[in-house]
Amino acid sequence: MSFILLTAYCLLLTSLYGGQKLKVIVSIYPLYDFVRQVGGESVDVKLLLPPGASSHTYEPTPKVMKELSDASVFVKIGAGLEFWAEKMVKASGSKRLIIVDSSSGIPLLSADPHIWLDPLIARDIVTKIEKALIEADPYNAKVYKKNASIYRERLLHLDKEISEKVKTFTIKEYVTFHSAWNYFSKRYGLKVAGVIEEAPGKEPSPKHIARIIQEVNRIRNRVIFAEPQFNPKIAEAIARESSAKVLYLDPLGGQKGRETYIDLMRYNIRVMEGAMR
């Protein structure tokens, strides 16, 4: 290839890939952080679900449809978490959208799509994101590969850090607000003894509440883990009945002090450590 043609080709690539940031849409905050960690300054990432909101009650707006139609990559968890995603993608009319289903190839646990709460599964999600960004923006492939490699090592360190802390726990069972912590528990040898809200938006029956109180009494740590995305009234009522206290685990983050996935997971393990050590 002549120098002139090579120069023209490089300018074309720059105009296609290097002149503007890659537009990426993500469903939840942990994915937002994963894309930021891999994409760095080369991506413009937008979050659909505001911090503090629940994916179970979210409904996309026309503005979101427009943003999705302009994006190159859409990253979702899958496994039924974003039940609205397929309809949203169709409504956007986008023909070139690369869709990352984070749960693809992951052995799923029944009724729990919260796969990202296992840091080793999070590493797999980061790899999926890396591949999608490279496919959409090969001009910055080296950047994405380097960033993803560094971040996977940080997640590996996080996994070891959590494992060491869990080894100090004298209590290995706990009660949570909803079914979010099964992947985390499976990874670290813990057990969810009871879940207050068995299905999104389903108020627990008196019989179910009595069973939860029985489990709190049995495991004797006198703690119920609520979540900031949900109304704590039921958890507080059960806590009063069982002489327990309410502490908060956060599966999504995006709040002050929990702006990154790693900070979020360190927050959660500190809360658990205080109640279960």
Side-chain angles (χ1 to χ4, degrees):
M1 182 182 293
S2 70
F3 177 77
I4 294 175
L5 286 175
L6 181 61
T7 302
Y9 178 70
C10 290
L11 288 172
L12 177 61
L13 284 178
T14 301
S15 66
L16 289 174
Y17 302 114
Q20 60 183 7
K21 293 185 178 183
L22 182 69
K23 292 183 179 179
V24 182
I25 304 287
V26 302
S27 60
I28 63 170
Y29 194 86
L31 294 176
Y32 176 81
D33 188 46
F34 294 162
V35 173
R36 285 191 310 177
Q37 297 294 337
V38 178
E41 294 298 318
S42 299
V43 300
D44 175 17
V45 54
K46 294 189 181 299
L47 173 67
L48 294 184
L49 198 69
S54 169
S55 62
H56 303 296
T57 56
Y58 174 77
E59 287 190 16
T61 64
K63 182 182 177 182
V64 167
M65 306 293 188
K66 176 65 171 63
E67 288 179 342
L68 194 64
S69 67
D70 294 335
S72 297
V73 180
F74 172 48
V75 187
K76 64 176 183 174
I77 290 297
L81 183 74
E82 305 96 342
F83 58 91
W84 34 263
E86 186 176 347
K87 182 179 178 181
M88 182 186 71
V89 170
K90 285 182 180 178
S92 74
S94 178
K95 304 295 183 184
R96 59 185 178 86
L97 189 66
I98 297 170
I99 299 175
V100 179
D101 185 339
S102 300
S103 65
S104 175
I106 303 294
L108 299 177
L109 303 176
S110 177
D112 185 358
H114 301 74
I115 57 174
W116 67 91
L117 293 173
D118 177 341
L120 296 188
I121 293 179
R123 293 179 86 239
D124 183 81
I125 296 172
V126 166
T127 299
K128 290 184 174 77
I129 290 170
E130 174 195 1
K131 291 177 180 178
L133 297 189
I134 290 171
E135 181 183 347
D137 178 20
Y139 182 83
N140 287 304
K142 287 185 179 180
V143 172
Y144 301 143
K145 286 180 181 179
K146 180 181 178 181
N147 290 348
S149 179
I150 291 170
Y151 191 56
R152 277 191 294 266
E153 283 301 308
R154 293 182 64 199
L155 292 176
L156 197 59
H157 179 78
L158 174 68
D159 168 63
K160 292 176 182 177
E161 185 180 323
I162 294 173
S163 293
E164 289 303 311
K165 288 186 180 295
V166 170
K167 286 178 184 176
T168 68
F169 289 9
T170 57
I171 298 169
K172 301 288 188 178
E173 297 180 69
Y174 57 107
V175 169
T176 65
F177 186 82
H178 90 301
S179 185
W181 300 92
N182 296 301
Y183 294 93
F184 179 90
S185 297
K186 183 179 179 182
R187 174 64 60 193
Y188 299 111
L190 301 173
K191 181 182 177 182
V192 177
V195 175
I196 294 173
E197 190 179 80
E198 294 178 287
K202 180 184 177 183
E203 194 165 313
S205 66
K207 184 177 180 181
H208 183 68
I209 290 174
R211 192 181 307 122
I212 292 295
I213 293 172
Q214 186 179 21
E215 287 301 296
V216 172
N217 292 333
R218 180 182 64 80
I219 59 182
R220 296 184 179 182
N221 72 334
R222 301 296 175 191
V223 168
I224 292 172
F225 290 118
E227 295 173 16
Q229 293 82 21
F230 296 93
N231 190 320
K233 287 184 178 179
I234 296 175
E236 289 169 351
I238 293 173
R240 285 193 297 270
E241 289 294 322
S242 55
S243 300
K245 59 182 177 180
V246 175
L247 297 178
Y248 286 86
L249 296 178
D250 185 354
L252 290 174
Q255 310 284 351
K256 185 177 180 180
R258 309 193 288 276
E259 291 93 348
T260 72
Y261 172 79
I262 289 177
D263 286 342
L264 170 68
M265 297 306 289
R266 284 176 174 160
Y267 161 82
N268 286 319
I269 197 63
R270 281 197 305 270
V271 173
M272 284 187 165
E273 189 178 21
M276 300 169 71
R277 194 169 180 176

